[in-house]
């Protein structure tokens, strides 16, 4: 069983930190807590996957999806939604960075037991602890029902919720992705899902194909290979077939216009990772 954090979760946390150290203001997303949780070696910025130039598009994609989802949570909370579920939470730091917003919700972080136990310990060591509105939900996805574990920690499927799943779909089989969509589509009316997915590599431009192969090689060497890829049209169709009343693809171009316009450093997200927004 995995004891510490997943390698990909650490990379995401460090990319957020790189943004504040190497990119220009205004910052798309500000997160120093993830770096404190990860507690990397002093020379972490010299890691090959931290190069601010070659990994820029992937880092920008991570920032874009984090900002998009946090904006969505704030918007839905203003409408009265008070449950937020993070599937594959990793080193997510929403509860620590935004206690003003998180305390108005019940936040459910769903993750593998080993990494989550490690995170619980780190939160205690850093003085954050686990407040009563934050529920850490350990799930062994190979043998447990995440849905049953979620309900056991106080989640109410009869009340609207925001469900976020970022950087997860590519690790799941097509069948598992469809099953997850069907489960979430059964939530109360007014619920919203935001999930990322990866394009088939033949739909990615030549420059980004190099970045994708870098990412895929890293995932494979870590023992967590990418197995599922979808076109935007396919993901929207799958969400609709699963039971969502509406499903909208949020393109890389839209995220660029929303969060990266007029940047002096030219930082832009890659096109190979997209966001699907589906709402019942």
């Amino acid at each position: 069983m995995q004891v510490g954090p997943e390698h990909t979760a650490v990379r995401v946390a460090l990319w957020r930190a790189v943004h504040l150290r190497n990119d220009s203001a205004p910052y798309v997303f500000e997160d120093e807590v993830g770096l404190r949780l990860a507690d990397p070696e002093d020379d972490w910025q010299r890691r090959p996957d931290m190069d601010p130039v070659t990994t820029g598009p992937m880092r920008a994609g991570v920032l874009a999806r984090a900002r998009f989802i946090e904006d969505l949570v704030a918007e839905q909370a203003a409408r009265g939604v008070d449950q937020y579920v993070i599937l594959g939470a990793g080193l997510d730091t929403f509860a620590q960075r935004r206690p003003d917003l998180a305390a108005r919700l019940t936040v459910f972080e769903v993750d593998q037991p080993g990494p989550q136990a490690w995170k619980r310990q780190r939160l205690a060591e850093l003085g954050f602890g686990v407040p009563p509105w934050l529920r850490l939900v350990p799930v062994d996805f190979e043998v447990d029902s995440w849905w049953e574990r979620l309900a056991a920690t106080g989640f109410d499927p009869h009340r609207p919720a925001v469900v976020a799943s970022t950087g997860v779909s590519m690790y799941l089989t097509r069948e598992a992705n469809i099953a997850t969509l069907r489960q979430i589509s059964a939530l109360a009316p007014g619920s919203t899902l935001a999930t990322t997915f990866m394009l088939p590599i033949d739909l990615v431009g030549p420059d980004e194909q190099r970045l994708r192969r870098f990412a895929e090689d890293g995932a494979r060497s870590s023992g967590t290979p990418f197995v599922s890829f979808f076109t935007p049209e396919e993901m929207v169709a799958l969400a609709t077939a699963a039971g969502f009343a509406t499903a909208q693809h949020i393109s890389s171009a839209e995220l660029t216009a929303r969060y990266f316009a007029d940047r002096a450093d030219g930082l832009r997200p890659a096109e190979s990772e997209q966001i699907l927004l589906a709402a019942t």
Side-chain angles (χ1 to χ4, degrees):
M1 181 179 71
Q2 176 90 20
V3 177
E6 298 282 357
H7 296 295
T8 51
V10 172
R11 183 182 301 123
V12 166
L14 299 187
W15 272 348
R16 291 181 177 186
V18 167
H19 179 52
L20 300 179
R21 287 159 175 75
N22 295 93
D23 300 328
S24 303
Y27 300 117
V28 177
F29 194 83
E30 298 187 36
D31 180 9
E32 290 278 13
V33 178
L35 176 64
R36 295 175 63 193
L37 280 172
D39 191 25
E41 299 292 336
D42 291 341
D43 63 347
W44 64 270
Q45 292 188 71
R46 297 183 181 180
R47 290 171 38 157
D49 58 354
M50 291 298 118
D51 184 280
V53 177
T54 59
T55 64
M58 290 188 293
R59 184 173 73 256
V62 164
L63 299 169
R65 76 192 192 195
R67 174 68 181 275
F68 177 86
I69 289 172
E70 204 149 296
D71 286 353
L72 174 67
V73 171
E75 173 189 296
Q76 294 302 306
R79 295 178 178 178
V81 175
D82 63 357
Q83 299 185 110
Y84 177 30
V85 179
I86 310 169
L87 295 178
L91 297 184
D92 189 274
T93 59
F94 170 73
Q96 292 76 46
R97 291 179 298 97
R98 297 292 309 274
D100 57 319
L101 177 56
R104 295 159 48 194
L105 309 164
T106 304
V107 181
F108 300 86
E109 292 193 11
V110 182
D111 208 353
Q112 297 280 358
Q116 191 165 87
W118 176 90
K119 184 178 182 180
R120 181 187 290 273
Q121 180 179 337
R122 288 294 296 147
L123 288 173
E125 291 170 352
L126 293 173
F128 290 110
V130 180
W133 41 262
L134 175 60
R135 313 287 170 83
L136 300 184
V137 187
V139 175
D140 184 338
F141 292 97
E142 294 184 3
V143 297
D144 296 332
S145 165
W146 66 268
W147 183 256
E148 291 177 0
R149 289 296 179 93
L150 193 61
T153 57
F155 179 78
D156 185 353
H158 304 295
R159 298 208 322 273
V162 176
V163 180
S165 175
T166 62
V168 174
S169 67
M170 70 283 284
Y171 300 109
L172 304 178
T173 63
R174 179 183 179 86
E175 293 72 23
N177 275 295
I178 291 173
T180 299
L181 287 172
R182 287 176 178 164
Q183 189 73 74
I184 296 171
S185 74
L187 288 174
S191 297
T192 306
L193 166 69
T195 182
T196 60
F197 60 95
M198 276 193 166
L199 293 172
I201 197 166
D202 59 341
L203 298 183
V204 178
D207 291 340
E208 290 191 15
Q209 283 190 11
R210 177 179 56 80
L211 293 174
R212 265 288 293 278
R213 291 192 178 94
F214 173 80
E216 290 193 36
D217 289 345
R220 192 178 303 108
S221 65
S222 298
T224 53
F226 299 162
V227 296
S228 291
F229 308 93
F230 302 94
T231 67
E233 296 78 14
E234 188 177 17
M235 271 305 269
V236 169
L238 288 174
T240 302
F244 285 94
T246 63
Q248 178 186 4
H249 161 234
I250 309 299
S251 70
S252 178
E254 182 174 340
L255 292 172
T256 298
R258 186 180 299 190
Y259 301 126
F260 297 86
D262 303 320
R263 288 192 63 87
D265 57 10
L267 185 66
R268 298 288 185 275
E271 295 180 2
S272 56
E273 188 165 350
Q274 309 287 326
I275 290 183
L276 165 77
L277 170 65
T280 62

